[in-house]
mmCIF file of all heavy atoms in Angstrom:
data_model
loop_
_atom_site.group_PDB
_atom_site.id
_atom_site.type_symbol
_atom_site.label_atom_id
_atom_site.label_comp_id
_atom_site.label_asym_id
_atom_site.label_seq_id
_atom_site.Cartn_x
_atom_site.Cartn_y
_atom_site.Cartn_z
ATOM 1 N N ALA A 515 33.362 -106.857 324.064
ATOM 2 C CA ALA A 515 32.399 -106.912 322.972
ATOM 3 C C ALA A 515 32.060 -108.360 322.653
ATOM 4 O O ALA A 515 32.891 -109.259 322.778
ATOM 5 C CB ALA A 515 32.961 -106.215 321.732
ATOM 6 N N TYR A 516 30.807 -108.548 322.247
ATOM 7 C CA TYR A 516 30.351 -109.851 321.762
ATOM 8 C C TYR A 516 29.823 -109.661 320.350
ATOM 9 O O TYR A 516 29.082 -108.717 320.071
ATOM 10 C CB TYR A 516 29.246 -110.425 322.646
ATOM 11 C CG TYR A 516 28.685 -111.730 322.129
ATOM 12 C CD1 TYR A 516 29.364 -112.924 322.362
ATOM 13 C CD2 TYR A 516 27.505 -111.769 321.393
ATOM 14 C CE1 TYR A 516 28.872 -114.130 321.874
ATOM 15 C CE2 TYR A 516 27.001 -112.962 320.896
ATOM 16 C CZ TYR A 516 27.695 -114.141 321.142
ATOM 17 O OH TYR A 516 27.208 -115.328 320.648
ATOM 18 N N THR A 517 30.218 -110.555 319.434
ATOM 19 C CA THR A 517 29.824 -110.400 318.038
ATOM 20 C C THR A 517 29.661 -111.764 317.392
ATOM 21 O O THR A 517 30.125 -112.781 317.922
ATOM 22 C CB THR A 517 30.890 -109.590 317.265
ATOM 23 O OG1 THR A 517 30.492 -109.442 315.907
ATOM 24 C CG2 THR A 517 32.235 -110.306 317.311
ATOM 25 N N ASN A 518 28.980 -111.799 316.265
ATOM 26 C CA ASN A 518 28.819 -113.049 315.505
ATOM 27 C C ASN A 518 29.679 -112.996 314.261
ATOM 28 O O ASN A 518 29.204 -113.059 313.134
ATOM 29 C CB ASN A 518 27.344 -113.271 315.145
ATOM 30 C CG ASN A 518 26.803 -112.160 314.258
ATOM 31 O OD1 ASN A 518 27.356 -111.071 314.219
ATOM 32 N ND2 ASN A 518 25.722 -112.445 313.545
ATOM 33 N N SER A 519 30.973 -112.886 314.458
ATOM 34 C CA SER A 519 31.917 -112.769 313.351
ATOM 35 C C SER A 519 32.907 -113.923 313.425
ATOM 36 O O SER A 519 32.561 -115.022 313.846
ATOM 37 C CB SER A 519 32.616 -111.407 313.426
ATOM 38 O OG SER A 519 33.463 -111.222 312.330
ATOM 39 N N ASN A 520 34.137 -113.678 313.026
ATOM 40 C CA ASN A 520 35.164 -114.721 313.092
ATOM 41 C C ASN A 520 35.461 -115.105 314.530
ATOM 42 O O ASN A 520 35.872 -116.224 314.811
ATOM 43 C CB ASN A 520 36.433 -114.234 312.398
ATOM 44 C CG ASN A 520 36.211 -113.981 310.928
ATOM 45 O OD1 ASN A 520 36.075 -114.908 310.139
ATOM 46 N ND2 ASN A 520 36.145 -112.715 310.552
ATOM 47 N N TYR A 521 35.323 -114.151 315.440
ATOM 48 C CA TYR A 521 35.414 -114.465 316.862
ATOM 49 C C TYR A 521 34.149 -113.976 317.550
ATOM 50 O O TYR A 521 33.432 -113.112 317.045
ATOM 51 C CB TYR A 521 36.657 -113.837 317.503
ATOM 52 C CG TYR A 521 36.850 -112.370 317.217
ATOM 53 C CD1 TYR A 521 36.176 -111.394 317.939
ATOM 54 C CD2 TYR A 521 37.735 -111.952 316.220
ATOM 55 C CE1 TYR A 521 36.368 -110.050 317.682
ATOM 56 C CE2 TYR A 521 37.935 -110.609 315.952
ATOM 57 C CZ TYR A 521 37.252 -109.668 316.685
ATOM 58 O OH TYR A 521 37.435 -108.336 316.432
ATOM 59 N N ARG A 522 33.859 -114.551 318.728
ATOM 60 C CA ARG A 522 32.642 -114.199 319.461
ATOM 61 C C ARG A 522 32.905 -113.133 320.513
ATOM 62 O O ARG A 522 32.091 -112.240 320.718
ATOM 63 C CB ARG A 522 32.075 -115.456 320.130
ATOM 64 C CG ARG A 522 31.684 -116.557 319.156
ATOM 65 C CD ARG A 522 30.488 -116.179 318.319
ATOM 66 N NE ARG A 522 29.992 -117.300 317.510
ATOM 67 C CZ ARG A 522 28.922 -117.259 316.742
ATOM 68 N NH1 ARG A 522 28.238 -116.130 316.645
ATOM 69 N NH2 ARG A 522 28.554 -118.304 316.039
ATOM 70 N N TRP A 523 34.031 -113.258 321.216
ATOM 71 C CA TRP A 523 34.334 -112.356 322.321
ATOM 72 C C TRP A 523 35.614 -111.580 322.032
ATOM 73 O O TRP A 523 36.561 -112.113 321.465
ATOM 74 C CB TRP A 523 34.509 -113.137 323.632
ATOM 75 C CG TRP A 523 33.249 -113.767 324.126
ATOM 76 C CD1 TRP A 523 32.848 -115.054 323.923
ATOM 77 C CD2 TRP A 523 32.230 -113.141 324.896
ATOM 78 N NE1 TRP A 523 31.643 -115.276 324.513
ATOM 79 C CE2 TRP A 523 31.234 -114.111 325.131
ATOM 80 C CE3 TRP A 523 32.053 -111.856 325.413
ATOM 81 C CZ2 TRP A 523 30.080 -113.832 325.861
ATOM 82 C CZ3 TRP A 523 30.904 -111.584 326.152
ATOM 83 C CH2 TRP A 523 29.939 -112.554 326.362
ATOM 84 N N ARG A 524 35.590 -110.319 322.438
ATOM 85 C CA ARG A 524 36.799 -109.508 322.365
ATOM 86 C C ARG A 524 36.867 -108.614 323.596
ATOM 87 O O ARG A 524 35.899 -107.945 323.952
ATOM 88 C CB ARG A 524 36.801 -108.625 321.127
ATOM 89 C CG ARG A 524 38.108 -107.857 320.940
ATOM 90 C CD ARG A 524 37.981 -106.755 319.906
ATOM 91 N NE ARG A 524 37.158 -105.648 320.399
ATOM 92 C CZ ARG A 524 36.915 -104.535 319.696
ATOM 93 N NH1 ARG A 524 37.401 -104.415 318.476
ATOM 94 N NH2 ARG A 524 36.159 -103.574 320.195
ATOM 95 N N GLY A 525 38.018 -108.628 324.232
ATOM 96 C CA GLY A 525 38.250 -107.751 325.374
ATOM 97 C C GLY A 525 39.526 -106.963 325.181
ATOM 98 O O GLY A 525 40.542 -107.518 324.740
ATOM 99 N N MET A 526 39.493 -105.652 325.475
ATOM 100 C CA MET A 526 40.667 -104.793 325.345
ATOM 101 C C MET A 526 40.804 -103.931 326.593
ATOM 102 O O MET A 526 39.809 -103.529 327.200
ATOM 103 C CB MET A 526 40.556 -103.876 324.117
ATOM 104 C CG MET A 526 40.794 -104.561 322.806
ATOM 105 S SD MET A 526 41.024 -103.358 321.439
ATOM 106 C CE MET A 526 39.379 -102.663 321.336
ATOM 107 N N ALA A 527 42.032 -103.653 326.957
ATOM 108 C CA ALA A 527 42.309 -102.762 328.083
ATOM 109 C C ALA A 527 43.584 -101.986 327.798
ATOM 110 O O ALA A 527 44.564 -102.545 327.283
ATOM 111 C CB ALA A 527 42.458 -103.561 329.379
ATOM 112 N N THR A 528 43.568 -100.698 328.120
ATOM 113 C CA THR A 528 44.720 -99.828 327.898
ATOM 114 C C THR A 528 44.879 -98.896 329.086
ATOM 115 O O THR A 528 43.894 -98.342 329.596
ATOM 116 C CB THR A 528 44.543 -98.985 326.619
ATOM 117 O OG1 THR A 528 44.367 -99.853 325.498
ATOM 118 C CG2 THR A 528 45.765 -98.110 326.371
ATOM 119 N N TYR A 529 46.117 -98.748 329.539
ATOM 120 C CA TYR A 529 46.409 -97.810 330.633
ATOM 121 C C TYR A 529 47.610 -96.955 330.241
ATOM 122 O O TYR A 529 48.620 -97.473 329.763
ATOM 123 C CB TYR A 529 46.718 -98.542 331.935
ATOM 124 C CG TYR A 529 47.128 -97.596 333.039
ATOM 125 C CD1 TYR A 529 46.199 -96.786 333.681
ATOM 126 C CD2 TYR A 529 48.467 -97.486 333.422
ATOM 127 C CE1 TYR A 529 46.573 -95.904 334.672
ATOM 128 C CE2 TYR A 529 48.855 -96.607 334.425
ATOM 129 C CZ TYR A 529 47.899 -95.813 335.038
ATOM 130 O OH TYR A 529 48.272 -94.928 336.016
ATOM 131 N N SER A 530 47.476 -95.641 330.432
ATOM 132 C CA SER A 530 48.548 -94.700 330.115
ATOM 133 C C SER A 530 48.806 -93.792 331.302
ATOM 134 O O SER A 530 47.861 -93.330 331.966
ATOM 135 C CB SER A 530 48.174 -93.840 328.898
ATOM 136 O OG SER A 530 47.977 -94.631 327.757
ATOM 137 N N THR A 531 50.065 -93.554 331.561
ATOM 138 C CA THR A 531 50.419 -92.645 332.653
ATOM 139 C C THR A 531 50.430 -91.195 332.194
ATOM 140 O O THR A 531 50.345 -90.281 333.011
ATOM 141 C CB THR A 531 51.814 -92.988 333.201
ATOM 142 O OG1 THR A 531 52.798 -92.766 332.172
ATOM 143 C CG2 THR A 531 51.876 -94.444 333.651
#
Side-chain angles (χ1 to χ4, degrees):
Y516 176 80
T517 180
N518 62 339
S519 184
N520 297 287
Y521 50 82
R522 299 292 188 176
W523 293 96
R524 185 193 71 178
M526 285 193 292
T528 302
Y529 175 74
S530 299
T531 64

